[in-house]
Amino acid sequence: MELTGAQILIEMLKSEGVDTIFGYPGGVVLEIYDELSKTDIRHILVRHEQGAVHAADGYARAGGRTGVCLVTSGPGATNTVTGIASAYCDSIPVVVFTGQVPTHLIGNDAFQEVDIVGITRPCTKHNFLVKHTEDLPRIIREAFYIARSGRPGPVLVDLPKDVGSKKIKFEMPGEVKLRSYNPTYNPNIRQLNKVMELVEKAERPMIFAGGGVILSKGSKELTEFARKTQIPVTTSLMGLGAFPGSDPLWLGMIGMHGTFRANMATGACDLMIAVGVRFDDRVTGKTDAFASHAKIVHIDIDPTSIRKNIPVTIPVVGDCRLALENLSRLADEANFGDLQKKRKPWLDQIVDWKSMRPLDYQQDRSGPIKPQYVLEKLYELTKGEAIITTEVGQNQMWTAQYYHFEKPNRFITSGGLGCMGFGLPAAIGAQIACPDQLVVDVAGDGSIQMNIQEMATAVQHNLPVKIVILNNGYLGMVRQWQELFYGRRYSHTCMSCAPDFVKLAQAYGAVGLRATQPSEVVPVLKEGLFSSETVIMDFRVASEEGVYPMVPAGAPITEMLLV
Amino acid sequence: MKEDKHVLSMLVDNEPGVLSRIAGLFSGRGYNIESLCVAETMAPQVSRLTIVTKGNEPIIEQIKKQLNKLINVIKVFEMTGQDYVQLELALIKIYAKPENRAEILRIADIFKCKVVDVGQEYYTVEVTGDEGKLSALLNLLKPIGIKEIARTGIVALFREAK
């Protein structure tokens, strides 16, 4: 069968099971777009290429599939970089196809030419420049395989225009075999036996789970293991939802804005089982003081994560789900004695910490609206069942603290890169992956303006995403740091001019609602959440509310600033 | 922690951009490159790359893991602490006043150097050896006057059982 490169791309996408792509057309991808119009692959036309990648990211996380983007060369390609970097930090499988100028023009500073393979080398798991149409089928197969296997991540494929137009004899490539890339899935059982010995002896054990548990689909195994061994669980921001937020063993999130009990437990534990985490500085604070009384077990599929930031007692390289499954099995045969009695002092201590310093805020009836109150009501009204995306900053941290996720893949946030403008396009992607679910973007008035243009995408494709804006008129998290560490000098964090979000929603053909009093919060949420349209809800919240607890950067995480 | 020199030898795909991935990894993560040497092996699709780097034990461990993580890196070998041969080649251009010429040739002879170019004012000698030999030679030639020098960086292979 003779096919053009563009036709081969479509064939390969179909063979990878791709039914949706996020993209933006342009000069050098016309050939591909022409072929695309002849297929039933759904193309979501975004309004900015950054939005395409975030949407593919949200799609991948909510749907557990690989997200796909298609953009043009030059500015189309450079606009994807932030999205790619965010997916890279959070290990999300995304394949980005960028157009490129024809091969004979590469290196000539041609119109809309950039070396996107060079630019994205440090923020992709891998990337390819396709020089010959003959290589295209194999490269696409490898790109998808690399993106989703091992520790997942974004892969970029750069497609020169002539590669797409040349006709060759097409044969479907077979399975991928890469001699230089073989992720270790099966954990070493001897290492796990050693882990179980530590678990048997531990007086004050805790589990610290991260995004790796969600990526490996190991939440069930984690929950089973924790309950069986009565070990309390904390997670990183990326791990929220990996363990049910209503379970008595749940400690809340760890780290800079973690709960008092999770951070105190970290300081006091004698064994930490870290699964699918990378000990980010926002988690550890001062590394020397982190879990300093504990033996640390670190389970991760990526060997570079282990011993990068924190010395560990027992490293285990492998798939988190498989490791937890094995540990659960070993726990059946382990000798814990009277487990309830053994754990009682430790679990009692945690309950004490919880009652001593719970997450707290004061909502006066007369106002102003507290952002935490909005999130608590959002949680109650959605019963913790909604898919929540966030922007970055206070909105993100309050969501992490006050929305108690019961299940994985429900919390979608730019964790590692901390990328403002992520939430709305990610919500669009999540809504496409899960059309029957309620999808809410929790935003701030600052970050929503970073990709607000995607409102048009949501309306065009009839996506009923809900946007909750916690509107405090500030870049709130930066303002909070200025308040605490820069003598309240609010240098350029006051957004005194913002659009009227209600009118803006209407201008986009969406619904706009506003609450300015505490009594309006629930009615606005009810009207907005249960509408079948795209809705912006503008909550005018207390302007100088802070996120607490807070650990100053570089301090031990047991030294928290409390309300 | 003590920072030691380490010789890492690796087999990589012989493709455009691979060197840039490796160099970018070192610069992006703040690792050291003391020398780097790369060329094709007997299999034309594979190159051997030898890097001399410096760092404490956790850093070197992290460097090896990060290199292994690159899709185009087939295998990384740490030579340091193992039994291996290492050699480096250098071309040294020496200021050769008439009164120094005999001395230069004598030193060259002792170090088994080859004179590869003789000009009116300069001699260029070629030397191969390990780091110790090269620095000993340079120390002797420095007072005479070295105009310029080109070094290849170390290449290394494990020794086979005797």
Side-chain angles (χ1 to χ4, degrees), chain A residues 200-211:
Chain A
E200 274 183 357
K201 281 187 220 135
E203 301 281 328
R204 299 180 306 280
M206 71 185 281
I207 295 170
F208 165 33

Side-chain angles (χ1 to χ4, degrees), chain A residues 34-317:
Chain A
D34 192 45
E35 290 304 326
L36 197 57
S37 70
K38 302 171 195 164
T39 71
D40 51 9
I41 293 177
R42 186 176 185 195
H43 178 268
I44 306 297
L45 176 67
V46 293
R47 297 301 186 267
H48 186 293
E49 290 88 348
Q50 185 190 346
V53 189
H54 290 329
D57 183 321
Y59 176 86
R61 293 199 212 193
R65 306 171 66 176
T66 301
V68 181
C69 300
L70 172 60
V71 302
T72 193
S73 64
T78 53
N79 276 347
T80 64
V81 173
T82 304
I84 292 172
S86 179
Y88 184 64
C89 287
D90 294 343
S91 311
I92 306 303
V94 174
V95 177
V96 179
F97 294 96
T98 51
Q100 182 56 277
V101 299
T103 44
H104 71 273
L105 286 180
I106 290 180
N108 274 3
D109 300 326
F111 177 65
Q112 293 196 327
E113 181 191 356
V114 293
D115 173 15
I116 194 64
V117 168
I119 289 172
T120 57
R121 222 169 255 143
C123 63
T124 48
K125 185 170 170 188
H126 195 55
N127 59 18
F128 298 90
L129 167 63
V130 187
K131 284 191 173 155
H132 308 283
T133 313
E134 289 75 8
D135 299 333
L136 189 57
R138 177 187 54 82
I139 285 178
I140 296 175
R141 186 68 97 225
E142 287 180 5
F144 277 88
Y145 171 70
I146 291 169
R148 68 170 175 258
S149 58
R151 177 178 176 178
V155 176
L156 181 138
V157 182
D158 202 19
L159 302 167
K161 190 169 166 44
D162 54 328
V163 168
S165 51
K166 189 179 164 192
K167 229 175 197 181
I168 61 156
K169 190 166 171 291
F170 171 66
E171 265 177 71
M172 190 59 84
E175 253 183 60
V176 177
K177 267 213 176 114
L178 292 166
R179 62 178 158 179
S180 56
Y181 173 70
N182 282 304
T184 307
Y185 288 95
N186 285 317
N188 184 321
I189 200 76
R190 266 175 308 184
Q191 294 291 88
L192 292 180
N193 279 324
K194 283 194 231 162
V195 173
M196 196 43 69
E197 279 171 30
L198 292 186
V199 174
E200 274 183 357
K201 281 187 220 135
E203 301 281 328
R204 299 180 306 280
M206 71 185 281
I207 295 170
F208 165 33
V213 174
I214 294 174
L215 287 164
S216 67
K217 303 186 166 59
S219 303
K220 199 182 106 230
E221 287 75 7
L222 169 68
T223 311
E224 210 175 281
F225 173 65
R227 286 178 181 162
K228 207 178 271 178
T229 52
Q230 285 295 298
I231 301 180
V233 181
T234 183
T235 71
S236 63
L237 182 72
M238 292 301 296
L240 288 174
F243 189 77
S246 60
D247 195 287
L249 290 168
W250 173 236
L251 290 166
M253 184 174 71
I254 194 175
M256 183 175 274
H257 294 292
T259 62
F260 183 74
R261 64 188 190 281
N263 287 353
M264 293 305 284
T266 304
C269 68
D270 64 353
L271 172 65
M272 171 176 273
I273 303 170
V275 199
V277 298
R278 57 189 180 88
F279 293 104
D280 179 269
D281 57 280
R282 287 299 196 260
V283 160
T284 60
K286 188 174 187 230
T287 47
D288 298 344
F290 182 81
S292 51
H293 305 296
K295 293 199 162 72
I296 297 182
V297 172
H298 191 177
I299 303 169
D300 203 280
I301 197 159
D302 179 3
T304 67
S305 286
I306 296 173
R307 291 211 182 100
K308 184 174 64 180
N309 300 330
I310 294 281
V312 299
T313 316
I314 304 180
V316 182
V317 176

